[in-house]
Amino acid sequence: VFRTDRSARIRRERMIFNFYIFSRNGTCLYYEEWNIPKEGRTPKAIQEEQKLMFGLLYSLRGFITKTSPKPCETFTYYKTSRYKLHYLETPTGLKFVLNTDKDAPTMTDELKKLHQEYYVEYALKNPLYKLGEPLGACEGFNSRVINFLTSHPEFKRRVVH
């Protein structure tokens, strides 16, 4: 898609913006971001954003549960005019969230893979990992998750011509 602004042509690429893992009680266990301007992104601002994201997920899931014709329904994504939020909740209450460009395809399979092949293998099976603690110290987890997401076809950077 090309958009013309007076003197610049900007080609929009599909891309991944950020990835979260939340515990059942709302603790952000993992967060990574890409393709987001760094101005004003202090650790406190990021922490506030994480709280807002969990609050949104909690409210949205509650709304869907109450208004759905079938019991225990959840959602896999929602889309705005600027981004698409992909969501996976595990039976244990972990919440995997991936924000992408609005035109990205549904990433349910990728979230399942992040849970099954990375979280289970490199966190749950790690005898040094304590459930509910941030995943940053899990050996092998960080680098594998980043490599998986940054090598994904949807991971692009904006190209300005």
Side-chain angles (χ1 to χ4, degrees):
V1 174
F2 287 93
R3 188 181 96 213
T4 304
D5 292 331
R6 294 186 187 184
S7 63
R9 288 177 51 154
I10 300 171
R11 182 175 179 202
R12 293 215 30 189
E13 298 282 353
R14 295 189 298 210
M15 62 188 71
I16 294 173
F17 297 119
N18 51 26
F19 173 60
Y20 303 83
I21 300 175
F22 291 103
S23 69
R24 173 190 308 236
N25 65 0
T27 303
C28 187
L29 303 176
Y30 186 81
Y31 177 75
E32 193 68 51
E33 67 181 37
W34 306 271
N35 300 310
I36 295 176
K38 302 294 181 203
E39 301 98 37
R41 306 261 323 141
T42 64
K44 185 175 180 173
I46 292 170
Q47 189 176 34
E48 284 300 312
E49 180 183 304
Q50 292 168 353
K51 289 177 185 177
L52 287 171
M53 178 59 73
F54 184 79
L56 171 71
L57 296 171
Y58 183 82
S59 298
L60 195 54
R61 189 170 189 304
F63 175 77
I64 290 167
T65 301
K66 288 184 183 357
T67 60
S68 176
K70 295 180 183 177
C72 298
E73 289 276 328
T74 190
F75 68 100
T76 55
Y77 72 90
Y78 82 84
K79 183 176 173 178
T80 72
S81 62
R82 294 187 171 247
Y83 69 93
K84 191 174 190 179
L85 181 144
H86 308 265
Y87 178 73
L88 172 71
E89 185 171 349
T90 69
T92 60
L94 285 175
K95 292 150 185 60
F96 288 70
V97 181
L98 187 64
N99 285 312
T100 65
D101 185 81
K102 65 183 177 67
D103 297 322
T106 301
M107 305 280 276
T108 303
D109 291 340
E110 287 80 355
L111 290 173
K112 287 178 182 176
K113 184 172 184 166
L114 286 162
H115 173 249
Q116 295 164 353
E117 294 182 24
Y118 298 101
Y119 178 77
V120 170
E121 291 300 316
Y122 297 99
L124 284 185
K125 292 184 179 180
N126 181 340
L128 301 176
Y129 177 67
K130 294 180 184 171
L131 283 177
E133 290 190 0
L135 293 159
C138 274
E139 190 174 320
F141 179 80
N142 249 353
S143 59
R144 284 178 173 85
V145 166
I146 290 170
N147 185 52
F148 173 70
L149 291 172
T150 58
S151 64
H152 193 279
E154 294 306 318
F155 186 85
K156 305 280 185 202
R157 298 201 181 271
R158 287 192 177 114
V159 180
V160 179
H161 297 280

